[in-house]
Amino acid sequence: MTEKYVEILSIPFIDSTMDEFINQMIYPRLMNQEKTFVVTANPEIVEYANEHQDYKDIITSADYITPDGVGIIMASKWLNQPLQERITGFDLMNELFRIADEQALKVYLLGAEEAVIETAAVKVQEKYPGIELVGYNHGYIDIKDECLAKSIAELEPDIILTALGFPRQEKWVSMHYPLFKKGFFMGVGGSFDVLAGKVNRAPVLWQNVRLEWLYRLIQQPSRWKRMLVLPKFVLKVRRKRKRLQRS
């Protein structure tokens, strides 16, 4: 299929449904053992990338950037280039687990607190017995540590999920990508916390009314500073819309 992209504040997002993305783009690459780097981006990541060129270079070098946050979907509509669907890191992670379970793929989990990653690993093995979980490690690491990266590469995982939070998780992938002969790499933020039951994902009702961010903020009030990015993002998108309307 011909891949389509929509640019939101200079970041190119794949324009696809989850079903198309998994079955027509990701699944073939996994089966062909084709190295793949996916970034799931929300408005915070877009803002950070536009303020930090080194990080922007990293994420724009990825094979795909998916629209994780509802703010990205709304921005695409304001710019008259509506993206088809949200493709969240958490949902994509579970789709990857489903494929790995069916195809007996090797998976490695990197990130979160030690107790969280241990619990998450147990939950994954219980729910997806067909997965070969070749290892896991907490996220309190020096991302420049090549020894850990080499030890992971030697396990030859098919899927490597990094829950180090942005920008660390994408920087880790970028630094150590050349060490791996194969592998699907994706940063999953706080998804291991949800897997382990430390944090609850917003109920479907909250997701449907686009208040997933508020539900998470209620659970983790320490995230309030990060929420301040959203008005700035909205303002930039609306300014761009006005420029487009004038041109």
Side-chain angles (χ1 to χ4, degrees):
M1 65 174 292
T2 302
E3 295 171 0
K4 295 186 296 180
Y5 295 85
V6 170
E7 193 173 283
I8 307 293
L9 299 183
S10 76
I11 304 298
F13 286 86
I14 186 72
D15 182 19
S16 171
T17 64
M18 173 67 88
D19 184 67
E20 287 174 348
F21 188 62
I22 286 293
N23 294 313
Q24 298 182 36
M25 301 176 208
I26 299 309
Y27 184 80
R29 294 177 77 103
L30 275 171
M31 293 304 98
N32 292 329
Q33 296 189 342
E34 190 175 346
K35 279 173 72 173
T36 305
F37 178 23
V38 169
V39 173
T40 64
N42 57 20
E44 293 171 75
I45 287 179
V46 171
E47 278 297 295
Y48 189 88
N50 280 313
E51 292 173 1
H52 300 81
Q53 187 62 46
D54 61 332
Y55 182 67
K56 187 175 184 177
D57 290 343
I58 288 171
I59 69 168
T60 55
S61 73
D63 295 285
Y64 301 104
I65 302 175
T66 73
D68 186 299
V70 68
I72 300 298
I73 300 297
M74 292 172 68
S76 72
K77 291 177 180 177
W78 291 336
L79 297 171
N80 293 319
Q81 298 184 80
L83 287 158
Q84 294 180 59
E85 189 174 311
R86 261 181 93 193
I87 300 178
T88 72
F90 187 79
D91 292 332
L92 188 49
M93 176 184 71
N94 283 306
E95 286 294 317
L96 290 167
F97 285 152
R98 179 185 61 78
I99 294 170
D101 185 46
E102 293 172 355
Q103 301 295 330
L105 300 181
K106 296 179 179 179
V107 174
Y108 192 97
L109 309 177
L110 174 64
E113 300 170 5
E114 192 157 5
V116 168
I117 189 63
E118 288 175 356
T119 303
V122 170
K123 294 280 182 72
V124 169
Q125 289 181 305
E126 287 176 350
K127 188 172 181 180
Y128 304 100
I131 286 177
E132 185 179 349
L133 187 61
V134 293
Y136 59 86
N137 199 88
H138 63 77
Y140 292 86
I141 61 169
D142 175 359
I143 62 170
K144 295 179 182 178
D145 179 9
E146 197 170 89
C147 290
L148 174 62
K150 282 182 176 177
S151 69
I152 297 172
E154 286 170 2
L155 298 170
E156 298 186 346
D158 299 290
I159 297 169
I160 303 94
L161 301 175
T162 60
L164 304 172
F166 85 87
R168 294 177 75 239
Q169 58 195 22
E170 288 82 24
K171 286 185 175 181
W172 186 91
V173 173
S174 178
M175 285 177 189
H176 306 298
Y177 200 69
L179 295 173
F180 293 78
K181 294 178 181 177
K182 64 172 183 175
F184 179 98
F185 298 77
M186 183 174 75
V188 294
S191 294
F192 295 169
D193 289 335
V194 179
L195 271 181
K198 182 183 177 183
V199 174
N200 295 320
R201 194 182 187 195
V204 174
L205 177 62
W206 287 66
Q207 293 180 44
N208 288 342
V209 295
R210 299 175 175 175
L211 288 176
E212 192 171 4
W213 63 271
L214 179 58
Y215 186 89
R216 190 166 178 188
L217 182 60
I218 291 168
Q219 289 192 88
Q220 296 175 296
S222 60
R223 292 175 59 88
W224 72 269
K225 286 184 179 178
R226 295 176 62 176
M227 295 296 120
L228 297 177
V229 170
L230 297 176
K232 193 193 311 188
F233 173 81
V234 170
L235 185 61
K236 286 183 180 178
V237 171
R238 288 189 167 173
R239 281 176 180 164
K240 183 168 184 181
R241 180 175 65 173
K242 285 181 181 178
R243 287 197 302 270
L244 290 172
Q245 287 172 341
R246 287 197 298 264
S247 61

